[in-house]
């Protein structure tokens, strides 16, 4: 099979595209014919070594995939050959990644893709969607009626946070670039504030007279000196980015108001947590509420270039979708998706 892989940690230049043996299916595994994968910031961290994890070389990169089931282990009987499926937790902790024509996925990390959902759109949102879901509900303990501040609401995770929070009955105050204001409102924000505004925190305070229940920072600013003072009693700050940040924590304000600051990395999520998030993502995909802001399709062979561009900041909400060689030039609707999967299967036996 053809795959994008690395044989050492380093810059995007270490990514190779070529032939690797097809993976072997274990008793509780599922072999998936991969239609497409995508590129997340965490993929660049794993490739570079910034996020240390077990990576047996040659190591196939990428977390996410959509595809069809090609083979099922005896302990994975809930899946059937031909099922449309997705996964968002490969390429970490010794698990080979998704950037290949075939991938083996443990059955408890694989989920069905509903009929009628565009697989190309789905693969672009399943990772930021799961991050948002778990940040809000598992770590942020979101409740109906809460006031939520989302910093970086114009980005992929930020917009997913806005979608999930607004659909759960929360009031969302989005902090984003002024040019993203209309987009943030379109995905559910009740109010949008410009992150460059020198009076930003005063305006958040005015917009949330009862205090902020959940404050989520996807931009890595992590200004705890100001954000903790915005919290309602038992308010929560969830940190999702900014690995090198060293903010000042106003401990007195925090504990005197029964508040908390929680760090969250989706790579540490349990299979049970990921499955719960998958249920939420599936519902939002079916409803059409969870969707990428913009996508750009590239062939899987361009994985190194996609990594370079992501690290260079060339995205602003755009998600790169990498399609496998048999499907990287075809349409992306559901009918053609099934046809492309069949073509990918047939080519292996020519």
């Amino acid at each position: 099979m053809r795959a994008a892989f690395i044989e050492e940690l380093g810059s995007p230049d270490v990514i190779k595209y070529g032939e690797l043996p097809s993976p072997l299916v274990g008793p509780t595994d599922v072999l998936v014919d991969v239609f497409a994968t995508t590129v997340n910031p965490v993929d660049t961290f794993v490739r570079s070594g910034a996020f240390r994890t077990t990576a047996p070389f040659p190591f196939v990169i990428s977390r996410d995939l959509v595809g069809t089931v090609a083979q099922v282990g005896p302990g994975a009987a809930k899946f059937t050959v031909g099922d449309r499926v997705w996964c968002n937790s490969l390429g970490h902790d010794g698990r080979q990644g998704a950037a290949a024509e075939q991938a083996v996925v443990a059955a408890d990390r694989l989920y069905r893709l509903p009929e009628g959902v565009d697989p190309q759109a789905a693969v672009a949102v399943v990772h930021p969607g799961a991050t948002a879901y778990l940040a809000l509900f598992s770590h942020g303990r979101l409740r109906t009626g809460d006031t939520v501040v989302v910093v970086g609401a114009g980005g992929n995770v930020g917009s997913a946070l806005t979608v999930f929070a607004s659909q759960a009955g929360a009031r969302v105050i989005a902090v984003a670039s002024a040019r993203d204001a209309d987009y943030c409102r379109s995905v559910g924000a009740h109010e949008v504030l410009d992150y460059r505004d020198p009076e930003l925190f005063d305006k958040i305070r005015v917009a949330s007279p009862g205090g902020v229940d959940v404050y989520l920072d996807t931009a890595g600013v992590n200004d705890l000196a100001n954000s903790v003072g915005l919290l309602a009693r038992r308010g929560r700050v969830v940190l999702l980015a900014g690995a090198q940040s060293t903010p000042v924590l106003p401990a007195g304000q925090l504990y005197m108001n029964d508040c908390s600051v929680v760090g969250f990395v989706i790579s540490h999520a349990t299979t049970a947590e990921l499955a719960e998030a998958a249920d939420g993502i599936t519902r939002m995909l079916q409803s059409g509420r969870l969707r990428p802001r913009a996508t750009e399709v590239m062939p899987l062979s361009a994985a190194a270039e996609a990594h370079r561009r992501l690290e260079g900041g060339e995205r602003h909400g755009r998600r790169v979708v990498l399609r496998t060689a048999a499907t990287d030039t075809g349409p992306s609707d559901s009918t053609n998706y099934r046809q492309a999967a069949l073509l990918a299967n047939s080519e292996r036996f020519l």
Side-chain angles (χ1 to χ4, degrees):
M1 68 172 187
R2 284 160 288 190
F5 61 94
I6 61 174
E7 295 180 310
E8 60 180 320
L9 302 178
S11 73
D13 294 338
V14 303
I15 298 175
K16 299 180 178 180
Y17 178 73
E19 293 287 336
L20 288 179
S22 293
L24 300 177
V25 180
T28 58
D29 293 335
V30 177
L31 180 67
V32 177
D33 286 332
V34 178
F35 172 73
T37 184
T38 188
V39 183
N40 301 292
V42 71
D43 300 329
T44 70
F45 303 155
V46 170
R47 184 219 70 231
S48 67
F51 188 175
R52 290 289 179 174
T53 184
T54 303
F57 299 127
F59 183 69
V60 178
I61 58 175
S62 293
R63 292 289 176 97
D64 314 327
L65 64 76
V66 289
T68 54
V69 172
Q71 184 181 340
V72 176
K78 68 177 182 178
F79 292 101
T80 303
V81 172
D83 284 349
R84 289 162 31 110
V85 291
W86 62 272
C87 175
N88 60 357
S89 59
L90 297 181
H92 180 76
D93 198 24
R95 298 184 294 277
Q96 289 286 347
E101 291 180 316
Q102 290 189 310
V104 163
V105 185
D108 59 357
R109 292 179 179 273
L110 192 64
Y111 319 107
R112 285 184 175 81
L113 185 67
E115 288 296 327
V117 173
D118 177 7
Q120 189 166 288
V123 77
V125 299
V126 293
H127 191 81
T131 301
Y133 183 96
L134 295 177
L136 278 172
F137 299 106
S138 297
H139 299 275
R141 306 190 306 280
L142 183 74
R143 296 184 292 267
T144 299
D146 278 353
T147 295
V148 177
V149 169
V150 178
V151 180
N156 295 301
V157 175
S159 59
L161 285 166
T162 303
V163 168
F164 276 116
S166 61
Q167 290 298 311
R171 180 170 178 269
V172 180
I173 301 170
V175 178
S177 170
R179 64 177 174 171
D180 291 333
D182 288 343
Y183 172 70
C184 292
R185 292 189 184 95
S186 75
V187 295
H190 296 79
E191 187 158 354
V192 184
L193 300 175
D194 188 342
Y195 78 93
R196 295 186 182 91
D197 192 329
E199 299 179 356
L200 172 63
F201 289 98
D202 289 336
K203 290 185 176 180
I204 294 175
R205 191 170 287 107
V206 170
S208 55
V212 173
D213 298 292
V214 189
Y215 185 102
L216 303 111
D217 189 340
T218 73
V221 177
N222 298 337
D223 187 350
L224 299 182
N226 282 301
S227 59
V228 167
L230 299 172
L231 297 178
R233 182 162 295 173
R234 297 190 177 176
R236 291 82 69 194
V237 175
V238 183
L239 307 180
L240 298 89
Q244 304 305 315
S245 65
T246 55
V248 174
L249 175 66
Q253 284 180 295
L254 190 75
Y255 82 82
M256 290 293 288
N257 209 22
D258 292 349
C259 296
S260 59
V261 176
V262 180
F264 166 54
V265 176
I266 192 172
S267 297
H268 300 154
T270 66
T271 54
E273 288 171 335
L274 290 170
E276 180 184 343
D279 287 341
I281 289 168
T282 297
R283 290 193 300 272
M284 289 298 180
L285 286 172
Q286 287 178 305
S287 70
R289 294 188 178 99
L290 185 62
R291 56 191 183 275
R293 182 173 183 177
T295 58
E296 178 181 357
V297 179
M298 301 173 69
L300 184 58
S301 57
E305 177 62 19
H307 274 236
R308 289 188 197 96
R309 290 171 58 178
L310 181 59
E311 290 182 328
E314 297 181 31
R315 44 185 186 131
H316 191 66
R318 178 179 287 106
R319 296 282 280 162
V320 171
V321 174
L322 300 174
R323 285 172 57 160
T324 52
T327 64
D328 61 20
T329 58
S332 62
D333 61 74
S334 299
T335 300
N336 284 312
Y337 165 67
R338 289 191 290 271
Q339 292 171 346
L342 291 173
L343 175 60
N345 282 337
S346 66
E347 281 195 348
R348 290 190 191 92
F349 298 98
L350 295 179

